[in-house]
Amino acid sequence: MDIVRAIPEMRAWSRRRKAVGETVALVPTMGYFHQGHLALMQAARRHARRVVVSLFVNPAQFGPAEDLERYPSDHDRDRRMAAAAGVDCLFVPAVDAMYPEGHQTRIDVRELSLGLCGAARPGHFQGVATVVAKLFNIVQPDTALFGQKDFQQLQVIRRMAVDLDFPVEIVGHPTVREPDGLAMSSRNTYLDARERGTAQCLFEALELARRLCASGERSCGRIALAVERFLLSRPGVRIGYIFLGDPGRLIPVREVTGPTLLALAVWIGGTRLIDNVLLEPGPAGH
Ligand code: AMP
């Protein structure tokens, strides 16, 4: 596996691959790999001849009170895991190379960035869209893979790629979970043992909603209320948001009449976790 740090070198790497007719898939990450990241890397192999993984903790997507300084990191472990997953190139740019002095351009995918996580994290999706656009320009991938765990991020990137004519196929990958259902996340390492037990409640809440829908409940208000009550019955849980809405446009809906996104942000102690599910309408007449 090649390890590339400089932007011109990364560009040259991709250019060489493309010159011999090879396709390139990109998996953007912030590192501290877990099985979710590895699943994206393995899926990338099925989409292209060569797989590039970027490892960059992007300061532009963290707010001033967020966890940039303590975001978990272990580059040696990441390097070993990526190599074992068959990654061809690990791109690890420096912050001052990605954001040299004087940088000021930001990409704003307006409406999709406003609600859900965007409401509590102003500027977050501008930071995400900007860094992903830069990575697309540097790596020039044919395909890029993103996890559905970060559903809003996936939709923001899809929109950006269409709006700005990036010749990149965007692929969403299903959420990889721990045995108890908790979505894998680098931030799960912030949880202590008690909080880790509590964190299962996100998945349980999604399952509760899925069961309600399957048994014919269509009212988003009633589903949201059931989910809220369930989450608040757990100790140390605070709700960031409970969103039920159109998965493409990310606007709320009142009834589950087609595939409907249920997305949650939940604080367990000092850690903010997110998860989501696509609800399908059950039999009518509830
Ligand atoms: P991150 O390093 O957290 O920025 O994540 C890098 C990529 O991995 C993003 O596209 C995430 O959506 C994706 N990802 C993170 N956790 C999971 C998971 N549990 N299952 C699937 N994809 C994930």
Side-chain angles (χ1 to χ4, degrees):
M1 183 179 73
D2 296 326
I3 297 183
V4 172
R5 296 181 193 279
I7 291 172
E9 205 189 316
M10 186 65 245
R11 250 187 233 294
W13 191 99
S14 283
R15 211 178 290 128
R16 280 198 304 277
R17 300 301 167 194
K18 298 196 149 196
V20 294
E22 293 180 352
T23 52
V24 173
L26 171 67
V27 180
T29 81
M30 299 206 298
Y32 210 70
F33 295 150
H34 50 66
Q35 292 300 321
H37 294 114
L38 296 185
L40 262 65
M41 295 174 202
Q42 279 146 11
R45 299 216 60 81
R46 299 193 285 275
H47 283 272
R49 175 73 182 82
R50 298 288 172 187
V51 175
V52 177
V53 172
S54 61
L55 195 174
F56 181 63
V57 182
N58 174 34
Q61 69 189 68
F62 287 78
E66 294 184 359
D67 57 344
L68 174 62
E69 300 306 330
R70 66 178 188 127
Y71 197 82
S73 163
D74 185 342
H75 282 202
D76 288 340
R77 179 171 157 274
D78 285 350
R79 201 164 46 231
R80 286 194 302 274
M81 289 171 77
V87 169
D88 296 289
C89 176
L90 192 61
F91 177 45
V92 195
V95 172
D96 57 1
M98 290 295 272
Y99 298 110
E101 199 160 319
H103 75 90
Q104 50 191 285
T105 306
R106 285 288 181 277
I107 293 179
D108 186 9
V109 181
R110 291 235 177 106
E111 281 148 39
L112 290 174
S113 300
L114 290 178
L116 291 84
C117 291
R121 306 183 70 187
H124 170 69
F125 289 110
Q126 269 194 7
V128 169
T130 302
V131 82
V132 171
K134 287 170 69 68
L135 290 168
F136 284 0
N137 281 330
I138 295 165
V139 177
Q140 307 261 319
D142 301 281
T143 308
L145 292 93
F146 297 85
Q148 288 167 3
K149 197 208 83 170
D150 301 287
F151 195 90
Q152 187 174 15
Q153 166 171 285
L154 174 61
Q155 299 303 50
V156 164
I157 301 300
R158 281 193 199 284
R159 189 74 248 167
M160 177 192 77
V162 170
D163 289 353
L164 298 184
D165 304 294
F166 280 105
V168 183
E169 181 201 9
I170 308 299
V171 174
H173 191 283
T175 301
V176 178
R177 300 179 177 283
E178 301 282 359
D180 68 350
L182 177 65
M184 292 199 177
S185 165
S186 307
R187 288 190 167 102
N188 292 351
T189 53
Y190 297 155
L191 302 168
D192 66 26
R194 197 172 44 87
E195 292 168 340
R196 172 62 189 81
T198 306
Q200 199 182 355
C201 69
L202 276 86
F203 181 67
E204 289 171 340
L206 299 179
E207 286 292 296
L208 167 67
R210 204 179 353 222
R211 281 198 305 277
L212 282 173
C213 263
S215 65
E217 179 61 85
R218 293 196 164 189
S219 157
C220 291
R222 281 198 292 268
I223 295 169
L225 194 62
V227 165
E228 182 182 351
R229 283 201 181 122
F230 175 79
L231 289 170
L232 292 179
S233 73
R234 299 300 158 107
V237 168
R238 279 187 300 131
I239 294 173
Y241 63 76
I242 298 170
F243 172 88
L244 283 124
D246 180 294
R249 296 164 61 208
L250 301 184
I251 50 174
V253 296
R254 296 166 71 91
E255 296 249 306
V256 180
T257 52
T260 300
L261 176 70
L262 167 59
L264 308 175
V266 171
W267 288 87
I268 313 277
T271 304
R272 183 177 180 279
L273 300 177
I274 58 172
D275 205 342
N276 66 82
V277 68
L278 271 187
L279 299 175
E280 300 284 347
H286 186 77

